Every structure is written in structure tokens, then in C-alpha cells.
Amino acid sequence: MESWLFLALVLLIAIFGHNSSLIIATVVVMALKLIPYTAKWLPLIQHKGINWGVTVISVAILIPIATGQIGFNDLWAAFKTPAGWIAVGMGIAVAILSKYGVNQLAAVPQVTVALVLGTIIGVVAFKGIAAGPVIASGMTYCIVTLLNLHF
């Protein structure tokens, strides 16, 4: 019963914060809980879900290459600017930090509660987005803006 109350609270916060991603995610999890015999599938989704999510995000990131919006000229142009090199560095930094973060989640599952709370607050109260690769872009934006650089 506690899990239902917790999910309902998350859903209410998501609705109050007008965050459709969190609303959809919470409703999906609640629906999964209603389906008989999903108790054995939920740990699999928990374990593999981050990888599936990263795959979906990676597909979305690669679409502009597939549609021709981004080509080799854009890649070479990025490497000609300090902002481009910062973006590469931030991508590397986020990938490394994410590796340690995933390892920590496996070793110390209690941190998940704090992360969920922090993510909910960040998404709802500060209109953030709960997405890893976007962090690299945000970090790049901050540094590029701070240093007054341009692509």
C-alpha cells in the first residue's frame, strides 16, 4: 500500500507541476503494478530501464544525422571552435560521471530515494528535464556562456 501512496504523491506533484513526462512515467508504473505477475518483470525493467532509456535518447540524438540536418561539415565546424571542444569534454565528463553514478546506485540503493526526490523537485519546481545526455549540453551551455564563446 505504501508504494501506491508514494506513486500517487509523485503523480499529484507531476500534475501540479505540469510535467507530462513524469505523469506518463508514473501512470505507466502504476499500470504495470496492476497487471498480474508483473512483480517479476519490474526488477528487470528497473535494472535494464536506464539502458533502454539511453538507447531511446541516443536514437533521438542520431535522427538529425539520418535526416541530413547534421553532416560532416557540422562535425568539422564544431572542432574548430573552443565551444565545440568544451561540448566534447562535457560529453566525456558526463559519460564518466554516469558510469560511477550507475555503480553507486547498484552498491547503495538507498541513494535512489534521494535521487528520485531531487529529480522530482528539479523537474517540477525548476522546470528541469530528467535526462542524462541533456546534462552534458546544459553544462556546455553554462561554460560556453560563462566564457562568452560561440559555435
Side-chain angles (χ1 to χ4, degrees):
M1 181 54 110
E2 182 178 348
S3 64
W4 283 106
L5 291 174
F6 200 152
L7 288 169
L9 177 63
V10 171
L11 182 60
L12 287 174
I13 291 170
I15 291 168
F16 175 74
H18 306 289
N19 187 286
S20 59
S21 296
L22 191 54
I23 292 169
I24 293 167
T26 307
V27 168
V28 167
V29 170
M30 292 173 103
L32 286 172
K33 280 184 64 70
L34 289 173
I35 299 171
Y37 307 112
T38 56
K40 62 181 177 182
W41 291 100
L42 293 178
L44 173 68
I45 295 169
Q46 177 185 358
H47 180 70
K48 298 287 186 180
I50 291 175
N51 290 333
W52 296 340
V54 169
T55 301
V56 170
I57 290 170
S58 297
V59 167
I61 290 170
L62 293 172
I63 294 296
I65 295 172
T67 61
Q69 290 175 280
I70 297 174
F72 283 112
N73 289 337
D74 299 302
L75 177 64
W76 302 133
F79 282 114
K80 293 178 184 176
T81 66
W85 284 101
I86 290 170
V88 170
M90 289 300 101
I92 293 168
V94 166
I96 292 168
L97 290 172
S98 296
K99 175 183 80 167
Y100 291 117
V102 169
N103 290 342
Q104 180 179 354
L105 286 175
V108 188
Q110 298 87 342
V111 79
T112 302
V113 175
L115 287 171
V116 168
L117 178 62
T119 300
I120 291 169
I121 291 169
V123 166
V124 173
F126 299 102
K127 304 298 182 206
I129 298 172
V134 178
I135 295 168
S137 177
M139 292 169 68
T140 300
Y141 170 80
C142 290
I143 292 172
V144 166
T145 302
L146 182 69
L147 298 176
N148 198 26
L149 300 172
H150 305 283
F151 283 94

